Amino acid sequence: MFRYTKAIVCGVPASLPEAALRLEADAPIVDLELARKQHREYIDVLEKEMGLEIIHIKENEDFPDCVFVEDPLVVCGDTALITIPGHASRRGETIPLKETVLSLGLKVVEMKPPGLMDGGDVLFTGREFFIGLSSRTNEEGIEQLRQCFSDYPVTPIPVSGSLHLKSFCSMASPDVIAIGTSEPAQKSRSIITKEGKFPYEFISLPSNPEANCVFANNVLIHGLGKERSEFDRLSCKKVPLPLPELNKVDGCFTCCSVLIP
Ligand code: CIR
């Protein structure tokens, strides 16, 4: 579980600060150079700490959100689901990702209209899927994911007040979910507990972005400062990074890579 060999990433386009989508119209402007530096540091950890081979897609200025590769592509086992991203401006991002997964020899399934899905809504626990029913992911998209990964249970979770399900929760270790303390996050926690098919432990984080971390190959990338202790009880190696500058346009750690077993 959570063993991977490769990570697909995409560069940060210069068009991002001006043109990336954002929930808050008056969000502070992204510092492009800082965002690129943090993105390189993140890729370094994927490569050097997690031992992943990096597959780098060149950024495309026509797609200001293209660094967020998690949304157009969901990979589980040997199958890649190319989604139809929920926002029309992001749909063309699927083209290079489809070419990439085909070249890796994965089985490729393409979502069909009226299905819509952003991978940021897809929480895979290693045993089952929880999927955010959000402004980007609809019931038809969830049904197509269910058919695509039919070996696993799929439980929808309504998401409001945040962009995606993983805007406030993510896997911190096998069977351990990091989750925010906001009201929507806590509602989701209760659905995971009541409707999930397997038991999980939870680690509560005071802010939603802090609850988004990446766990792979027994290494955890997270955004908590060194003085914080919430993840101390996990036995994996922990690598703190600054919370991404990209958070200003609703990006977080999971959204900047797609991991391939
Ligand atoms: C968007 O609104 O689509 C981007 N600005 C942010 C996407 C972040 N994706 C993710 O967390 N999976």
Side-chain angles (χ1 to χ4, degrees), residues 77-129:
D78 62 359
T79 303
L81 174 64
I82 310 288
T83 73
I84 301 178
H87 197 284
S89 71
R90 301 200 55 191
R91 305 225 167 116
E93 293 174 29
T94 56
I95 294 166
L97 290 167
K98 181 179 166 193
E99 283 165 13
T100 304
V101 289
L102 280 171
S103 74
L104 292 174
L106 294 178
K107 185 181 149 210
V108 175
V109 177
E110 289 185 81
M111 198 161 264
K112 293 176 193 58
L116 296 175
M117 177 167 284
D118 276 7
D121 279 316
V122 178
L123 177 69
F124 181 59
T125 70
R127 304 178 188 278
E128 62 185 317
F129 285 97

Side-chain angles (χ1 to χ4, degrees), residues 130-149:
F130 294 98
I131 316 287
L133 186 56
S134 70
S135 60
R136 300 284 179 91
T137 297
N138 63 11
E139 304 258 11
E140 177 60 27
I142 296 178
E143 189 47 41
Q144 291 185 39
L145 179 136
R146 197 192 298 279
Q147 285 164 19
C148 180
F149 300 113

Side-chain angles (χ1 to χ4, degrees), residues 12-123:
V12 182
S15 54
L16 180 141
E18 281 298 316
L21 301 169
R22 63 207 78 195
L23 280 179
E24 307 291 339
D26 57 352
I29 298 289
V30 171
D31 176 331
L32 179 64
E33 287 322 309
L34 180 58
R36 284 181 164 160
K37 176 174 170 286
Q38 291 179 349
H39 188 248
R40 279 194 300 273
E41 287 166 2
Y42 167 84
I43 293 173
D44 263 6
V45 176
L46 296 178
E47 187 173 18
K48 299 191 178 113
E49 302 281 355
M50 292 179 168
L52 301 168
E53 177 193 338
I54 306 297
I55 301 167
H56 204 290
I57 294 176
K58 173 113 187 78
E59 63 273 24
N60 181 335
E61 295 299 336
D62 294 339
F63 295 103
D65 286 295
C66 62
V67 63
F68 304 121
V69 286
E70 169 177 73
D71 295 320
L73 173 63
V74 177
V75 174
C76 183
D78 62 359
T79 303
L81 174 64
I82 310 288
T83 73
I84 301 178
H87 197 284
S89 71
R90 301 200 55 191
R91 305 225 167 116
E93 293 174 29
T94 56
I95 294 166
L97 290 167
K98 181 179 166 193
E99 283 165 13
T100 304
V101 289
L102 280 171
S103 74
L104 292 174
L106 294 178
K107 185 181 149 210
V108 175
V109 177
E110 289 185 81
M111 198 161 264
K112 293 176 193 58
L116 296 175
M117 177 167 284
D118 276 7
D121 279 316
V122 178
L123 177 69

Side-chain angles (χ1 to χ4, degrees), residues 123 168-173 176-180 201-205 208 210-213 220 231:
L123 177 69
F168 54 73
C169 67
S170 62
M171 298 311 294
S173 274
V176 181
I177 298 175
I179 194 152
E201 282 176 51
F202 292 89
I203 294 180
S204 294
L205 282 314
N208 283 340
E210 290 176 340
N212 182 279
C213 46
L220 181 71
F231 291 132

Side-chain angles (χ1 to χ4, degrees), residues 203-245:
I203 294 180
S204 294
L205 282 314
S207 87
N208 283 340
E210 290 176 340
N212 182 279
C213 46
V214 177
F215 178 75
N217 298 347
N218 210 32
V219 176
L220 181 71
I221 297 177
H222 67 84
L224 306 190
K226 291 206 171 69
E227 72 292 354
R228 298 278 296 279
S229 58
E230 286 95 329
F231 291 132
D232 281 2
R233 68 185 163 93
L234 301 176
S235 60
C236 58
K237 177 165 188 183
K238 284 141 249 168
V239 183
L241 285 176
L243 272 179
E245 178 70 6

